[in-house]
Structure formats: structure tokens, C-alpha cells
Amino acid sequence: MKTAIITGSGGLIGSEAVSFFAKHFDYIIGIDNNLRSYFFGDTASTHWNVERLQDRYPNYRHYDADIRDAEALEKIFKKYNSDIALIVHTAAQPSHDWAAREPRTDFSVNAYGTLNMLELTRLYCPKAVFIFTSTNKVYGDNPNLLPLVEQQTRWEIEEQHPYYKEGIDERMSIDFCKHSVFGASKVAADIMVQEYGRYFEMNTAVFRGGCLTGPNHSGAQLHGFLAYLMKCAINKEHYNVFGYKGKQVRDNIHSYDLVNMFWHFYKHPRKGEVYNAGGGRFSNCSMIEAIEMCEEITGNKIDYSYLDNNRIGDHIWYISDVSKFKTHYPNWNYTKNIHQTLSEMFFSFTTREAEVV
Ligand SMILES: NC(=O)c1ccc[n+]([C@@H]2O[C@H](COP(=O)([O-])OP(=O)(O)OC[C@H]3O[C@@H](n4cnc5c(N)ncnc54)[C@H](O)[C@@H]3O)[C@@H](O)[C@H]2O)c1
């Protein structure tokens, strides 16, 4: 029975992966203990999403286990054993602001939890494909050293710079910079995933996400900015913009497009690969531009304040260059740009009101 394990299955990327892979596998094993509500409060709970998956996919089995609990995980790996053909590991403490509150919790979830998943994969199903959702924060604040120019609504890189056309590629250094505590715990996990590919010759891949987004994000002030902004626009709640004149640029990839990357990798895996994975030049916006788009889509004026202090280590301009992935997997492409994603969110949030409040 071909089986996929998806950690963080109640979260944005995990739940998209369940929906995507349910038709390709006999069993989908979801692991999520709703730690997101501990990180960000009840409004960020992912419980609703797990219930939705259980209702919708009869081959979905949920385990309320903690990825830090090696014994609990081992029972799952022992049960499904070599039937496990794919692991999509998305469970994480995902916020760099939150990480500074409890560095031990952050590191144990992001680094140690990932090591648990890798080691059990090596012991029980070493031929499986192991996909890890890393982050562009592994590059720390190095992107802030790029030559940027200020435009009316955004920061932009100088046109002569090699990153202008496609964005930042995987060769950017992860050294000599401030990562934030979160960035550091993700670096540890990112390197381990690469190492299990290179040293143990397993089929592992690291996807360094820009902003990952989509209608199934349980957006909170500290994580999931587009979903949270859209919620504020719909519910007429206050929003804070932190620093850089609100012109900081993020590239935003829809969760479907990212999981579709995983599918392409799964079909033709490689060992210890690293890919930047964001919306690239295809889908990106500044904070101000995102506010304008949400106002246009909802018809509501957003009540926001501007605070001078930027978040520590926050990127001023980040656009992912996904051309390495496109070269390895030429049949993959984006399907949803930022406007489509925001419109989808608006529709989803307004027809799923219980989750918005
Ligand atoms: N969303 C983004 O913008 C973004 C950007 C770059 C990288 N990433 C990375 O992508 C991955 C997925 O992000 P997301 O936005 O889907 O996050 P998410 O918070 O929506 O989902 C993560 C899920 O993992 C669960 N979880 C957390 N700790 C756990 C633990 N110890 N045991 C079991 N379950 C646990 C949470 O309850 C949550 O449901 C994360 O690794 C994150 O660091 C996200």
C-alpha cells in the first residue's frame, strides 16, 4: 500500500500536500499536534483544517503526534514501514519573531524534529523521497546588502545587477549574517536534510521558501502575512506595517504551485538538492501594494499604522530565482499569481466565516 507521510498536515503547505497527494497514494498519514495554536493563539489553530481533511479524504489518517517525540514517530514508521514512499516534512515553528521568545522550543521543533524525521526515514524507508520546507531566512540578512533603489511603492534591485532578471539564486551565502533564532534553527535542519542526501545517498530535497501563501493559511500577526492582511481587510481590523516605509518586497508562491514542485521532484528525485522556491518575478508585491490589492478585492479600506522599526533581520527585497528548479523540471510552472491568490483567499474566507473570526 503506497503511503505518504505529511507532517504539519493541518498547516498551509501540509494540508495542500494532503489534498494533492491523496489521489496518488493509498494512504496519507498526517502528523500535526496543532502546536500552531500554542505559538500564535487560538485564532491560528489548524484544527479546523485537519477536520476538513478527515471529512474530505477517506484515505487520510491523522496522528496527533509531536515531531519532537521520537518514540511516537517510531510507532508510525514501524507500522507503515517500507510502504512509505514519500515524506513531506512541513511541521515547524515558522516565525522568526516568535523564535526569540523560546529559542529552545524553536530549535527542538525545527532542528531536532527534522532530525527525528530524517533518521526514521533512514531506518525504515531509506528509498523514500524526503522533502523539507526550508526558508529564505537561511540566507539571513545577506539579501539586505544588495544594491537597492527606492521606487514609489517598492524597493527594487538595481537593473544592472545579475539578480534583477530572475531574483536571488541558491548560491547566495548563508554565512556572515544575522539569521534570527528561527533562521538558525532552519539552517541546522536544512543542512541535515542535504547531508542525509549526500552522506547517506537518500532522495532528499530542501525547498527554501519565499512567502508561502494560500486560502488554507491560518494567518496570524506573526506568521502568514497575506492571509492575515486579508482577514484584517475583511473584518475591518487594525494592521501594523513594520519599517522600510512599507515598501519591503516579498515574493509569494501559492501553496498549490509549491506542492506541485514536490510532485515533480517525487517523480524524478535527486539526492540532497536545494531549491529556492517562491513566487519569483511572476508573483511578488510590496507591503503597500499588498494593502492596495486587498482593498481593491474586498472593497474595504484597511485601517493600518506604520511603525518605524522593522522586524529584526527582515528582508527589504527578496525575490526567489526558481530557474534551477525549472531547469531540472521543465514541465513545472506557476499557475496562480498574487492577485488570483488574494481573490481565492477572499472567496474562501468569506464563505468560511467561522475560521476568519
Ligand atoms: N508560510 C510561509 O510564508 C513560509 C515561508 C518560508 C518557509 N516556510 C516553511 O514552510 C513550512 C510550512 O509552513 P506553513 O506556512 O504551512 O506553516 P503552518 O504553521 O501553517 O503549518 C505548520 C503545521 O505544523 C504543526 N506543527 C508545528 N510544530 C509541530 C510539532 N512539534 N509536531 C507536530 N506538528 C507541529 C502546526 O500545528 C501547523 O499546523 C514550515 O517549515 C515553514 O518554516 C513557510
Side-chain angles (χ1 to χ4, degrees):
M1 297 294 254
K2 202 163 66 147
T3 300
I5 292 186
I6 296 171
T7 71
S9 53
L12 170 72
I13 303 305
S15 62
E16 187 77 59
V18 172
S19 307
F20 192 109
F21 290 112
K23 55 184 171 295
H24 299 291
F25 286 79
D26 298 311
Y27 286 122
I28 301 286
I29 308 306
I31 298 175
D32 197 313
N33 63 351
N34 197 13
L35 210 60
R36 190 172 170 92
S37 63
Y38 171 72
F39 301 141
F40 309 125
D42 287 345
T43 52
S45 165
T46 51
H47 184 64
W48 65 274
N49 209 6
V50 170
E51 281 187 343
R52 183 181 68 87
L53 299 173
Q54 284 171 322
D55 285 349
R56 200 167 284 187
Y57 303 106
N59 57 344
Y60 178 75
R61 306 273 179 280
H62 190 77
Y63 288 83
D64 193 358
D66 194 310
I67 56 163
R68 293 170 292 182
D69 182 348
E71 268 178 45
L73 293 184
E74 186 153 20
K75 284 188 190 141
I76 300 170
F77 275 83
K78 238 182 201 156
K79 178 162 182 194
Y80 297 96
N81 222 303
S82 55
D83 282 353
I84 302 165
L86 170 67
I87 291 100
V88 180
H89 174 41
T90 78
Q93 188 302 105
S95 154
H96 59 274
D97 290 330
W98 194 91
R101 290 185 195 165
E102 291 186 31
R104 278 178 207 257
T105 309
D106 175 76
F107 197 84
S108 64
V109 172
N110 289 351
Y112 183 63
T114 301
L115 179 60
N116 279 340
M117 291 300 299
L118 283 166
E119 188 52 10
L120 289 165
T121 302
R122 184 172 81 88
L123 294 175
Y124 289 93
C125 47
K127 294 198 172 77
V129 170
F130 189 103
I131 285 168
F132 173 60
T133 45
S134 185
T135 166
N136 60 14
K137 296 290 180 313
V138 300
Y139 300 120
D141 55 4
N142 273 334
N144 291 352
L145 302 176
L146 294 169
L148 301 178
V149 284
E150 185 176 353
Q151 298 184 342
Q152 202 176 346
T153 60
R154 58 162 58 200
W155 293 99
E156 188 47 84
I157 193 165
E158 280 178 0
E159 266 187 56
Q160 301 74 12
H161 196 278
Y163 287 161
Y164 180 78
K165 189 156 173 269
E166 301 281 6
I168 294 170
D169 67 27
E170 296 81 0
R171 282 167 301 181
M172 173 158 274
S173 171
I174 64 169
D175 294 319
F176 313 115
C177 54
K178 190 190 286 181
H179 291 90
S180 81
V181 171
F182 160 75
S185 66
K186 291 295 265 193
V187 166
D190 180 309
I191 297 289
M192 264 310 191
V193 175
Q194 292 184 56
E195 211 50 46
Y196 270 66
R198 298 224 167 80
Y199 192 92
F200 294 120
E201 299 186 348
M202 287 164 52
N203 299 312
T204 67
V206 168
F207 288 79
R208 293 181 174 160
C211 275
L212 316 180
T213 190
N216 291 325
H217 219 182
S218 305
Q221 187 176 13
L222 291 184
H223 187 246
F225 97 95
L226 274 186
Y228 184 66
L229 182 65
M230 181 53 89
K231 282 182 184 181
C232 288
I234 294 169
N235 296 333
K236 302 189 175 156
E237 283 166 15
H238 187 77
Y239 189 88
N240 285 327
V241 175
F242 295 95
Y244 303 141
K245 303 185 186 176
K247 296 184 180 185
Q248 54 272 54
V249 170
R250 305 274 172 272
D251 66 336
N252 302 277
I253 186 167
H254 192 287
S255 47
Y256 174 86
D257 287 336
L258 180 68
V259 172
N260 195 20
M261 281 177 146
F262 300 167
W263 173 235
H264 282 259
F265 182 85
Y266 170 73
K267 285 188 295 182
H268 301 286
R270 304 165 70 103
K271 298 188 191 305
E273 269 300 351
V274 177
Y275 298 109
N276 283 354
R281 280 289 180 200
F282 176 78
S283 174
N284 61 76
C285 62
S286 72
M287 202 58 242
I288 294 174
E289 291 163 357
I291 288 172
E292 281 170 3
M293 274 187 279
C294 287
E295 289 183 339
E296 184 228 311
I297 291 166
T298 61
N300 294 338
K301 200 90 195 125
I302 295 182
D303 166 30
Y304 73 90
S305 309
Y306 175 73
L307 307 169
D308 257 339
N309 289 341
N310 58 275
R311 290 184 154 137
I312 298 174
D314 209 14
H315 292 153
I316 306 173
W317 177 91
Y318 193 94
I319 303 267
S320 315
D321 178 354
V322 298
S323 40
K324 177 179 171 191
F325 185 83
K326 279 185 165 175
T327 306
H328 290 181
Y329 302 98
N331 292 331
W332 175 87
N333 213 340
Y334 295 108
T335 63
K336 297 175 197 214
N337 67 22
I338 186 153
H339 202 276
Q340 288 166 306
T341 305
L342 283 169
S343 303
E344 233 183 66
M345 268 182 200
F346 175 62
F347 177 78
S348 170
F349 292 175
T350 46
T351 51
R352 174 170 44 86
E353 234 159 80
E355 280 78 50
V356 176
V357 283

